[in-house]
Amino acid sequence: MSQILEIKVPDIGGNENVDVIDVMVKVGDTVKVDDALITLETEKATMDVPADAAGRVTEVRVKTGDKVSEGSVIVLVEAAGDAAVSAPPTVAAVAEQAPAAPAGKLEVTVTVPDIGGHQNVDVIEVMVKVGDTVKVDDALITLETDKATMDVPSTAAGVIGRVLVKVGDKVSAGSPIIEVAATANTAAAAAAPAPVAAAPVQAASHGASPKTAYGNTPVNESIFNRGHAGPAVRKLARELGVDLTRIKGTGRRDRVVASDVKAFVKNLMQNPAAGSVPSLGGGLDLLPWPKVDFSKFGDIETIPLSRIKKISGQNLARNWVMIPHVTQHDDADMTELEAFRQTLNQEWAKAGIKFSPLAFIIKACVKALQTYPDFNASLDGENLVVKKYIHIGFAADTPNGLVVPVIRDADKKGLRDIAIELTELSQKAREGKLKPQEMQGASFTISSLGGIGGTYFTPIINAPEVAILGVCKAQTRPVWNGKKFTPRLMCPLSLSYDHRVIDGAAACRFTTLLTQLLADFRRVTV
């Protein structure tokens, strides 16, 4: 028996009337949970909206150019049999079922745990709504005491049937937060927390910090010692590369709210309004952007920036302002490599496979990233997230602007596979046919100007990555070999790196290894 489900636009950060710039499905398509359905564009970013149900698309309710908000219906999906049951239900479907729990499930009430004896604590953020599916330890609400903020995690997994608190409420230990339709096994494994008397502070072992009991899940007391910003605001600041300590909050007790972060970034990226000049701290203020009537000096033409240039321009400006860039330059002797490349091109010409210098550079970068994993990482607050995968992005020049396709799992692909994928992605980039997911997830980026010329330059890091390699056109130069000058094909390399993560010595080791690999490509296999 089939069931028709509505898939709607989820919470998109409070944005309203957001542009639909791409529709990736049509009637008759079969979608899985998390498959991208549409792409939205706000003033600051683009985002894919994934499916939260699996099945066959029976109707598409939006088209490119439409404007949508949270709750707008995107598609109708026919989910048959078990698929309809396993797919996450829509908000409307859950609302119709509440308060009765579905068959085979238990209704569990999640309450506020022991919060250090505090009473009547303010609820400053509610992070869930009816119909959401939560897992154990997912944050539900944020509380604020006189000294700190804290997240309250869920102690049960399931679908939320009722949310029992709202922003501005005051709660204490034992106050109900949500009701969850949880399966019997889940409910038994993660029971709702008892009142504070039944959830005492556990005795601390020697040398260990005391821990507060959140139901069956011990939580370190450091959860109470966070700065003056809620988790959603901290997440937004991380995504935008903003240091929260540089922002004066406008919330209660100078708390930084989302609008403060957005205003800070907007002031940095755009022309500041009269009398509103952003400060970079230390007494350094940005002057207003100069306004000039260029028509006074001659004929002009005003051409709107393309969508790609507007988005990439904002990202590049943010990255240049927020990341302390340092660039390490080096030269790679690619004489033998070029001879090998030409031989491969002759051998594979009938198969239509062309090996560009960039394919070899990508393969060499994979080896260098495996040797120095800090270059294949991202900075997240005070933590370095080192990735176990290697996805290489490469900057592609198109008529509409710069795009960065991504070769995923480059460490698991041979040179021939990389060469084929490079050709295919480059062609799609020039034709404007790249899908959003083909430009996401890069852990390291290469910007190659080898087909144009140049010597050295300073590429801007593609946040949240910590390094980017710039490549210019290889040129034949006289090189001293100890006895005489010989002609060698030398390729200029420019490695920009985030000095907060990588120091100069590490960057020099990275480029030195890279030049060794390109000089003798056999080293890549060692």
Side-chain angles (χ1 to χ4, degrees), residues 43-123:
E43 292 181 356
K44 303 201 182 306
T46 60
M47 65 192 82
D48 290 342
V49 176
D52 58 6
R56 185 178 65 85
V57 176
T58 60
E59 184 179 349
V60 179
R61 292 279 183 89
V62 297
K63 62 182 183 301
T64 301
D66 284 355
K67 293 182 180 293
V68 297
S69 304
E70 178 181 353
S72 299
V73 177
I74 305 172
V75 298
L76 300 185
V77 171
E78 181 182 24
D82 294 338
V85 176
S86 59
T90 62
V91 172
V94 173
E96 290 173 359
Q97 294 172 8
K105 297 190 176 183
L106 300 177
E107 199 72 29
V108 175
T109 300
V110 178
T111 61
V112 176
D114 184 343
I115 49 177
H118 294 286
Q119 299 292 320
N120 298 320
V121 178
D122 291 327
V123 177

Side-chain angles (χ1 to χ4, degrees), residues 136 192 264 283 311 474:
V136 173
F264 178 83
I311 294 173

Side-chain angles (χ1 to χ4, degrees), residues 25 76 108 145 147 168-169 183 186 215 246 307 319 354 373 384 387 406 433 514:
V25 294
L76 300 185
V108 175
T145 68
K147 300 187 183 303
D169 284 355
T183 60
T186 303
R246 298 172 61 188
R307 181 180 67 86
N319 296 347
K354 184 176 181 180
L384 188 65
K387 297 147 191 175
V406 177
K433 296 181 178 179
L514 199 55

